[in-house]
């Protein structure tokens, strides 16, 4: 299970992890796969500062405290917050082709089920992002351009479009703690995938 920035870790692991270990993974759950870069805040001044540090071979220097909520190096800052940074996987302004380049390897894993669970009221997603559309685009990219298909009750069945599927929790916030039942729906969805293996 990857949550928030942990979703980037999960996607990165599936592509670059030790092959024999990756092959043992059968189910991946991405809970709140949101973009760190795509916010309503302007990060351009800090991005410029981080780019200068990296250009000077000082990527491991710490960013100013006001740049981020936690201590962070210039290199890591760019990975998260620069356009096309290493962890820029889930931004809505990426083209379908860019999303496929970043996420398409998921669809190449034949013995893997992945569920991307998005929160309809995620406070870390800017208001200009259409969450429903973005979730569908992310899943399609993970399935190498294949659309997922819903069954009659709106749940996505494995094997009907690829190994990745999406679940929108309409009233949920980022951490699934504000709307009753969202945590249980998430756990139930993951449990259904685990039961296949």
């Amino acid at each position: 299970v990857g949550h928030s920035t942990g979703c980037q870790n999960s996607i990165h692991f599936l592509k670059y992890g030790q092959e024999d270990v990756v092959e043992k993974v059968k189910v991946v759950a991405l809970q709140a796969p949101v973009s760190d870069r795509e916010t309503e805040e302007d990060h351009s001044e800090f991005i410029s500062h981080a780019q200068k540090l990296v250009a000077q071979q000082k990527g491991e220097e710490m960013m100013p405290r006001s740049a981020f909520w936690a201590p962070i190096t210039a290199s890591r800052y760019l990975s998260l917050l620069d356009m096309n940074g290493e962890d820029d996987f889930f931004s809505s302004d990426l083209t379908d082709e860019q999303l496929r380049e970043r996420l398409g390897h998921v669809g190449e894993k034949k013995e893997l089920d992945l569920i991307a669970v998005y929160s309809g009221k995620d406070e870390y997603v800017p208001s200009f992002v259409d969450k429903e559309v973005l979730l569908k685009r992310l899943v399609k990219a993970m399935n190498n351009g294949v659309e997922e298909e819903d069954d009659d009750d709106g749940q996505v069945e494995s094997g009907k479009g690829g190994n990745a599927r999406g679940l929108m929790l309409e009233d949920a916030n980022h951490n699934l703690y504000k709307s009753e039942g969202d945590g249980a729906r998430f756990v139930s969805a993951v449990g259904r995938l685990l039961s296949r293996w």
Side-chain angles (χ1 to χ4, degrees):
V1 175
H3 167 67
S4 198
T5 301
C7 295
Q8 284 108 314
N9 295 342
S10 297
I11 293 296
H12 188 271
F13 168 75
L14 290 174
K15 188 166 191 173
Y16 299 109
Q18 188 176 322
E19 189 173 331
D20 62 321
V21 178
V22 172
E23 288 176 1
K24 292 177 183 176
V25 175
K26 302 301 178 195
V27 175
V28 172
L30 305 178
Q31 194 269 307
V34 302
S35 170
D36 287 294
R37 174 180 64 80
E38 197 169 36
T39 69
E40 296 189 19
E41 299 174 30
D42 180 13
H43 297 281
S44 58
E45 180 182 333
F46 290 120
I47 289 171
S48 178
H49 177 71
Q51 289 170 334
K52 287 176 188 170
L53 287 173
V54 169
Q56 296 168 359
Q57 306 295 314
K58 297 179 182 178
E60 296 309 305
E61 292 279 325
M62 299 304 291
M63 291 292 290
R65 183 70 179 112
S66 56
F68 202 67
W69 62 270
I72 190 167
T73 65
S75 294
R76 181 69 179 139
Y77 190 86
L78 292 177
S79 290
L80 289 174
L81 295 163
D82 197 11
M83 178 76 161
N84 295 315
E86 287 181 25
D87 282 346
D88 191 9
F89 293 120
F90 309 120
S91 298
S92 69
D93 60 351
L94 295 173
T95 66
D96 289 343
E97 183 59 33
Q98 288 172 316
L99 287 173
R100 241 186 334 273
E101 287 170 8
R102 289 162 173 74
L103 303 172
H105 62 280
V106 171
E108 297 167 7
K109 312 283 184 213
K110 299 305 175 205
E111 301 247 334
L112 175 76
D113 283 316
L114 182 143
I115 187 164
V117 182
Y118 219 90
S119 297
K121 295 183 179 173
D122 194 315
E123 62 273 27
Y124 294 103
V125 178
S127 59
F128 58 81
V129 173
D130 185 326
K131 298 172 188 80
E132 290 272 356
V133 169
L134 178 58
L135 178 60
K136 287 180 181 180
R137 290 181 65 224
L138 294 174
V139 170
K140 183 178 177 181
M142 288 185 235
N143 288 330
N144 276 310
V146 177
E147 302 266 354
E148 71 178 339
E149 298 176 23
D150 293 340
D151 68 9
D152 292 336
D153 66 0
Q155 297 298 314
V156 176
E157 292 293 325
S158 177
K160 283 191 170 183
N163 57 347
R165 68 222 12 92
L167 173 64
M168 176 62 72
L169 300 176
E170 295 83 7
D171 296 321
N173 70 325
H174 189 68
N175 295 327
L176 305 182
Y177 71 86
K178 284 193 175 178
S179 178
E180 190 172 329
D182 290 326
R185 282 185 64 200
F186 170 71
V187 170
S188 177
V190 174
R192 282 194 302 274
L193 292 183
L194 287 170
S195 69
R196 292 175 23 87
W197 299 98

